[in-house]
Amino acid sequence: MSTVENPLWGGETTKAVENFPISGQPIPAPVVHWLGRIKAAAARTNAELGLLDAGKAERIGAAGDKIAAGEYDDHFPVDVFQTGSGTSSNMNTNEVIANLAGEDVHRNDDVNMGQSSNDVFPSAVHLAALDEATNQLLPALEALEASFAAKAEAYKDIVKSGRTHLMDAVPVTLGQEFAGYAAQVRLGAKRVRNTLPQVAQIPLGGTATGTGLNTHRDFAAKTRARLEEASGLTISAPEDPFEAQGNRDALVELSGALKVIAVSLIKIAGDLALMGSGPRAGIGELYLPELQKGSSIMPGKVNPVIPEVTLQVGCQVIGNDTAITIAGSQGQFELNVRVPLIAANLLQSIELLTSTAKVLKEKCIDGLEPNLPGCEKSAESTLAVATALNPYIGYDKAADIVKEAAESGGMLRDVARKHGVEDSVLDEALDLRKIAEGSNA
């Protein structure tokens, strides 16, 4: 049981706390806040429709506003692993608001008027995800993309060895690689945006099964309008009320987009760690910011701590998506009954990716420096530049030159000369900058 002094919840919340001593993790705070917003907007709508006393409705609205502002987060103790519809958390909200609003306010008849846990709780989850993705995650991704793009411009003339299969490949520029990273982040943000119109469709007004029993025909539209005005978000009616009530496909879709971002960040972080490896026995093409000691026994060792954090977060988000995918497939007929699990994992993924994007930008990308000697060495050492000789001497002869250079340790140009390739051809074909630009065809 929570240790909150003078708790505002009632008997149903107490039963839920006693019944679900599972994780010690309550439902995410953004969901609580949106439950408050929905209850406040619903009460004011019901007053406008002549269904609820105006004074009572305003007291309910004021209480809901305070919950939305985070003033009573401690009064929502129900474990995230609860009844799959979120009924316990909806009742928790009704009880807290009723106690704040006054003795004449009934938790069900007044606070829950025109509503059911089955439409209110998933609506709160959708809107929390929509809000956090729109106002937190997307700005963080945009800032990270801008940081990568700035490095791409700064590094556009730095030639280095390309690598495929972790083996030397034809030269590229460091700027080209960072432009690719910027594009990965940009496309990830686009994928998230593409899911949000579906996330914005909420089942509010469907009450128990999607039929809208016990709610006014104008309730849902007027309540959505209030929520839109207060939040600045675009909130939509569902394409079909039974689709909206019976499944959480839009949240699964959003989670899938988050998983793609996690995959992208894992790839990028892995590349950064490899390019910064060394400083003497690794690839050594980047200097990563030195943030802290890397070893308790090896003096002077520095580790790629921010890429490592990014890699771990990526793994967690992929795991969250697996749980969300399975949860999204659960439930029968008119209701998905794994909504709290989906909420917890989805909002954690959004929060983790938001924080990681900020930290990756501020503590790693913004402070990166190129290792110019390392890049120059890798560019000049790769025998894959012999690819540029193919149009002049053919693949087979170029392969012979590469083989001899690899076996002898000789420079590619010197071995090519031994095979009769003229200096004029070598100068024209083996211009590393032109090779990286792809203009030596």
Side-chain angles (χ1 to χ4, degrees), residues 85-273:
S85 61
T87 298
S88 297
S89 287
N90 184 49
M91 290 183 170
N92 185 178
T93 308
N94 292 335
E95 290 177 340
V96 171
I97 289 178
N99 284 325
L100 287 170
E103 291 184 359
D104 62 329
V105 174
H106 193 277
R107 60 190 179 277
N108 296 93
D109 295 339
D110 298 325
V111 181
N112 202 60
M113 179 181 286
Q115 305 155 59
S116 165
S117 300
N118 297 351
D119 66 337
V120 167
F121 189 79
S123 293
V125 174
H126 276 244
L127 294 177
L130 177 66
D131 188 6
E132 296 298 303
T134 301
N135 294 314
Q136 301 298 326
L137 177 59
L138 288 175
L141 292 175
E142 289 162 2
L144 179 60
E145 179 206 339
S147 183
F148 277 123
K151 293 299 183 182
E153 176 64 22
Y155 299 163
K156 65 182 180 181
D157 294 322
I158 301 175
V159 182
K160 49 159 284 182
S161 175
R163 293 181 182 86
T164 59
H165 303 269
L166 283 178
M167 305 299 287
D168 298 348
V170 296
V172 299
T173 68
L174 197 58
Q176 288 169 331
E177 290 183 325
F178 274 75
Y181 301 149
Q184 275 188 281
V185 176
R186 181 169 62 253
L187 289 170
K190 181 179 180 181
R191 290 183 179 99
V192 169
R193 288 191 193 92
N194 288 343
T195 72
L196 296 184
Q198 291 73 253
V199 175
Q201 296 181 26
I202 61 172
L204 189 67
T207 63
T209 61
T211 65
L213 180 67
N214 290 350
T215 188
H216 192 284
R217 63 181 178 275
D218 296 328
F219 169 82
K222 288 182 176 294
T223 303
R224 286 196 307 271
R226 279 188 161 82
L227 293 170
E228 278 195 332
E229 183 178 2
S231 67
L233 299 170
T234 298
I235 303 170
S236 308
E239 290 189 23
D240 180 273
F242 288 89
E243 183 279 331
Q245 198 97 347
N247 73 81
R248 303 272 61 85
D249 288 353
L251 301 182
V252 176
E253 182 184 11
L254 173 56
S255 179
L258 301 179
K259 179 179 72 173
V260 176
I261 293 172
V263 168
S264 295
L265 293 181
I266 287 172
K267 196 287 186 170
I268 292 168
D271 283 0
L272 295 174

Side-chain angles (χ1 to χ4, degrees), residues 49-63:
L49 294 171
L51 303 174
L52 184 62
D53 174 77
K56 186 182 291 188
E58 190 48 46
R59 281 183 277 135
I60 292 171

Side-chain angles (χ1 to χ4, degrees), residues 17-49:
V17 171
E18 292 172 348
N19 288 335
F20 312 127
I22 308 300
S23 70
Q25 174 189 354
I27 63 169
V31 177
V32 171
H33 301 161
W34 272 99
L35 284 168
R37 291 186 181 97
I38 290 171
K39 298 294 180 180
R44 288 165 177 146
T45 295
N46 283 325
E48 179 186 350
L49 294 171

Side-chain angles (χ1 to χ4, degrees), residues 169-432:
V170 296
V172 299
T173 68
L174 197 58
Q176 288 169 331
E177 290 183 325
F178 274 75
Y181 301 149
Q184 275 188 281
V185 176
R186 181 169 62 253
L187 289 170
K190 181 179 180 181
R191 290 183 179 99
V192 169
R193 288 191 193 92
N194 288 343
T195 72
L196 296 184
Q198 291 73 253
V199 175
Q201 296 181 26
I202 61 172
L204 189 67
T207 63
T209 61
T211 65
L213 180 67
N214 290 350
T215 188
H216 192 284
R217 63 181 178 275
D218 296 328
F219 169 82
K222 288 182 176 294
T223 303
R224 286 196 307 271
R226 279 188 161 82
L227 293 170
E228 278 195 332
E229 183 178 2
S231 67
L233 299 170
T234 298
I235 303 170
S236 308
E239 290 189 23
D240 180 273
F242 288 89
E243 183 279 331
Q245 198 97 347
N247 73 81
R248 303 272 61 85
D249 288 353
L251 301 182
V252 176
E253 182 184 11
L254 173 56
S255 179
L258 301 179
K259 179 179 72 173
V260 176
I261 293 172
V263 168
S264 295
L265 293 181
I266 287 172
K267 196 287 186 170
I268 292 168
D271 283 0
L272 295 174
L274 286 169
M275 283 191 283
S277 62
R280 296 189 178 182
I283 290 177
E285 294 173 343
L286 284 177
Y287 293 120
L288 274 61
E290 297 184 4
L291 301 178
Q292 61 188 64
K293 288 181 172 64
S295 174
S296 61
I297 189 172
M298 292 178 279
K301 190 173 187 292
V302 178
N303 293 334
V305 292
I306 301 303
E308 288 177 357
V309 165
T310 303
L311 288 159
Q312 292 175 82
V313 166
C315 293
Q316 182 66 54
V317 171
I318 292 170
N320 286 350
D321 178 68
T322 299
I324 291 167
T325 301
I326 296 170
S329 70
Q330 302 292 300
Q332 299 76 36
F333 303 109
E334 277 66 62
L335 190 66
N336 176 282
V337 287
R338 305 291 183 267
V339 186
L341 172 64
I342 293 173
N345 282 274
L346 184 64
L347 287 162
Q348 185 192 54
S349 290
I350 293 172
E351 181 181 8
L352 287 173
L353 289 173
T354 298
S355 300
T356 300
K358 291 178 180 178
V359 168
L360 182 60
K361 174 194 181 299
E362 295 168 3
K363 294 185 178 293
C364 185
I365 308 307
D366 287 351
L368 283 176
E369 294 293 340
N371 181 343
L372 296 177
C375 290
E376 182 179 359
K377 179 182 177 182
S378 76
E380 293 180 350
S381 298
T382 175
L383 299 178
V385 294
T387 304
L389 292 172
N390 289 355
Y392 300 91
I393 63 176
Y395 178 93
D396 290 339
K397 187 172 182 178
D400 290 339
I401 292 170
V402 169
K403 183 178 180 180
E404 182 176 332
E407 292 175 348
S408 67
M411 297 298 293
L412 185 71
R413 282 177 175 267
D414 295 337
V415 176
R417 289 190 187 98
K418 288 175 54 180
H419 283 256
V421 182
E422 297 180 358
D423 284 342
S424 60
V425 171
L426 294 173
D427 290 341
E428 183 176 354
L430 301 184
D431 185 320
L432 300 182

